[in-house]
Amino acid sequence: MNIILIGPPGAGKGTQAKRMIDRLGVPQISTGDMFRAAVKECTAMGLKAKECMDKGALVPDSVVCGMVDERFQKPDCVKGFILDGFPRTLEQAKSLDEILTKMGTKLDHVVVIDVPDDFLVERLTGRRTCKGCNYMHHIKFDPPKKDGVCDKCGAELYQRDDDQEATIRQRLKTYHDQTSPLIEYYGKANIVRMIDGTKSMEDVQADIKKAIGA
Ligand code: AP5
Ligand code: MG
């Protein structure tokens, strides 16, 4: 099954993708996680990406599309994928169409996790991400049993550099300007599933399950 998750920063794309991968037997492909890994490894792409991420701006389309195209070649994508944070521009959506045509496959569902901006600053400033397994805790909504330690793998939790309020506001603007038009783009193919992302993590997952029938 081929799925895209669209939603503003903090909507819960990563949280929901992690709850779907085992059930659906497909990988989560998070372009944000891929860029953070490149930043950690200090690659040339990582340095370029960090500049954009710290400003709340998007990494250039050519860089992102090449990276995703390469990721699709890995064997874990044979049964499909959950794209988390890609595509984010119309240019990226068109490039994805071409990649999928080349692969002889197509999208099944575009799941839009809809959350108003007012909720998102609290979600993002309270997020604590695991350095080991990338699981996202939240100090209020999903607190770890032990402060600063991931429940899932025991590694240290950290706060993302782009989870500062000023950067969050810029990321929200970038989402509304450049990414939300994709909802209309995919609307034409009748594959958009709108989900109320203000509910609890469990209820959002149940609604997604119902919407995609799996
Ligand atoms: P990316 O890492 O994708 O960040 P994002 O889109 O801003 O989204 P987040 O990861 O911040 O939020 P999320 O929706 O995954 O929420 P989460 O589940 O963690 O991208 C980062 C940067 O990389 C971009 O700004 C850009 O620069 C670059 N980039 C990435 N992809 C790119 C692309 N395609 N093109 C160009 N540039 C790109 O949840 C958030 C918190 O809320 C967590 O603490 C969680 O526990 C909590 N939470 C989740 N759901 C709920 C709920 N239902 N109720 C209460 N709390 C909840
Ligand atoms: Mg995420």
Side-chain angles (χ1 to χ4, degrees):
M1 189 177 280
N2 300 333
I3 299 171
I4 295 179
L5 295 181
I6 293 182
K13 301 180 294 295
T15 300
Q16 297 304 328
K18 284 183 179 8
R19 288 165 190 238
M20 296 159 76
I21 47 179
D22 290 341
R23 186 175 78 240
L24 301 179
V26 297
Q28 169 198 12
I29 299 179
S30 159
T31 40
D33 283 352
M34 291 162 90
F35 287 131
R36 280 181 289 279
V39 170
K40 211 164 137 191
E41 286 161 18
C42 292
T43 64
M45 185 185 71
L47 294 177
K48 171 79 200 153
K50 185 162 172 45
E51 231 176 79
C52 305
M53 292 162 92
D54 286 350
K55 283 192 280 198
L58 296 180
V59 179
D61 290 335
S62 57
V63 177
V64 192
C65 295
M67 184 176 77
V68 172
D69 194 5
E70 209 174 288
R71 178 66 184 83
F72 279 141
Q73 313 304 321
K74 296 207 174 159
D76 61 345
C77 292
V78 288
K79 282 176 65 185
F81 51 77
I82 300 171
L83 281 170
D84 159 5
F86 179 91
R88 263 171 140 106
T89 63
L90 283 171
E91 203 52 51
Q92 291 180 19
K94 287 175 188 161
S95 170
L96 177 64
D97 287 344
E98 284 170 20
I99 295 171
L100 295 180
T101 304
K102 190 175 79 186
M103 290 165 65
T105 186
K106 60 179 186 46
L107 290 170
D108 296 298
H109 304 282
V110 174
V111 175
V112 179
I113 307 178
D114 187 33
V115 182
D117 288 6
D118 295 350
F119 285 73
L120 299 170
V121 175
E122 185 184 21
R123 284 205 190 168
L124 291 172
T125 50
R127 172 166 58 189
R128 298 293 181 271
T129 304
C130 176
K131 280 188 177 172
C133 67
N134 280 332
Y135 182 81
M136 287 82 57
H137 276 286
H138 190 282
I139 51 173
K140 183 168 157 192
F141 303 122
D142 182 13
K145 291 195 184 78
K146 191 171 168 212
D147 239 14
V149 177
C150 175
D151 282 2
K152 304 283 169 195
C153 77
E156 192 188 333
L157 299 175
Y158 76 103
Q159 213 172 348
R160 270 171 48 177
D161 288 346
D162 59 349
D163 279 348
Q164 309 299 324
E165 190 163 343
T167 318
I168 293 169
R169 299 265 175 219
Q170 186 52 49
R171 286 160 62 201
L172 287 170
K173 184 173 180 328
T174 302
Y175 173 79
H176 292 300
D177 291 348
Q178 299 194 58
T179 307
S180 61
L182 294 183
I183 300 170
E184 199 188 325
Y185 177 81
Y186 289 117
K188 291 176 197 134
N190 210 17
I191 49 174
V192 173
R193 321 292 173 224
M194 291 299 292
I195 302 291
D196 176 1
T198 64
K199 297 183 183 177
S200 72
M201 298 178 205
E202 293 71 26
D203 286 350
V204 173
Q205 184 58 223
D207 288 350
I208 293 176
K209 196 172 172 184
K210 208 154 99 190
I212 67 173

